[in-house]
């Protein structure tokens, strides 16, 4: 199984013609985290890590993402129970925005999960992630916690 390289679409502002009627359906709005895109999946008995464009390795990492997560006990446990999941998220490393809370750095914030070719809703994957103590972009009551909320 090779992970699907996903290019996420540009998000339009609410109220623009391109998103007219979006409020009439179920939508999930997540905070934009300024890190580096990452994906984690299980294949051939081991955890694999990738970026938006390529599979990562010890020799070809991306901001330390592979090094930090390819042997992570939480993901080992998750994939033992759910080997078919593909986990997409943002690895928070210093990029353009540098004023996140100190406790927020170098964490992988999950924003999408695929299972058997189907995208799961946050209502489906968040309880599973919480059980394995894996951060999602919907962390706690305040979806930005532990990140600072900034006025636009």
């Amino acid at each position: 199984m090779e992970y699907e390289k996903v290019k996420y679409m540009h998000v339009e502002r609410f109220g623009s013609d391109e998103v007219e009627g979006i409020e009439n359906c179920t939508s999930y709005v997540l905070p934009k985290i300024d890190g580096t895109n990452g994906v984690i999946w299980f294949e051939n008995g081991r955890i694999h890590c990738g970026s938006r464009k390529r599979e990562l390795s010890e020799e070809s990492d991306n901001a330390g993402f592979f090094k930090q997560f390819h042997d992570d006990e939480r993901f080992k446990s998750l994939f033992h129970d759910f080997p078919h999941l593909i986990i997409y998220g943002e690895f928070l490393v210093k990029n353009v925005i540098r004023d996140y809370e100190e406790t927020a750095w170098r964490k992988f914030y999950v924003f999408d999960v695929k299972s058997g070719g189907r995208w799961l809703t946050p209502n489906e994957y968040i309880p599973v992630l919480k059980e394995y103590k894996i951060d999602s972009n919907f962390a706690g009551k305040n979806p930005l916690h532990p990140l600072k909320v900034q006025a636009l």
Side-chain angles (χ1 to χ4, degrees):
M1 167 183 77
E2 180 167 325
Y3 77 100
E4 179 183 342
K5 297 171 181 81
V6 177
K7 181 173 167 80
Y8 287 89
M9 62 187 244
H10 170 74
V11 178
E12 297 294 334
R13 288 196 182 276
F14 184 73
S16 69
D17 292 342
E18 289 84 356
V19 295
E20 184 176 347
I22 197 169
E23 70 277 6
N24 298 325
C25 62
T26 301
S27 299
Y28 299 94
V29 180
L30 301 167
K32 169 66 175 105
I33 297 175
D34 185 40
T36 186
N37 189 272
V39 58
I40 303 175
W41 74 100
F42 186 79
E43 183 178 11
N44 298 325
R46 68 180 182 91
I47 295 174
H48 295 257
C49 298
S51 69
R52 182 179 286 118
K53 297 182 179 180
R54 62 187 170 89
E55 184 169 350
L56 304 176
S57 67
E58 201 169 307
E59 298 78 32
S60 181
D61 205 343
N62 183 18
F65 182 71
F66 176 85
K67 181 179 180 180
Q68 186 164 334
F69 293 104
H70 83 281
D71 203 27
D72 186 293
E73 291 300 325
R74 298 167 305 159
F75 286 99
K76 284 182 181 179
S77 295
L78 173 72
F79 290 128
H80 176 268
D81 296 338
F82 301 97
H84 54 282
L85 295 180
I86 303 173
I87 313 292
Y88 295 86
E90 193 79 1
F91 181 43
L92 187 59
V93 292
K94 295 200 175 171
N95 207 348
V96 175
I97 299 173
R98 296 176 174 264
D99 58 355
Y100 291 98
E101 296 288 341
E102 277 305 311
T103 57
W105 294 108
R106 303 207 60 78
K107 290 184 181 175
F108 182 56
Y109 295 93
V110 176
F111 55 70
D112 259 337
V113 176
K114 200 169 191 180
S115 175
R118 183 176 76 83
W119 293 102
L120 302 181
T121 68
N123 292 337
E124 293 173 298
Y125 70 75
I126 289 171
V128 175
L129 296 178
K130 283 184 178 180
E131 183 179 332
Y132 295 89
K133 296 180 175 42
I134 296 171
D135 299 304
S136 77
N137 218 346
F138 292 95
K141 294 176 188 168
N142 175 356
L144 289 176
H145 180 74
L147 308 176
K148 287 182 183 176
V149 177
Q150 296 181 357
L152 298 177

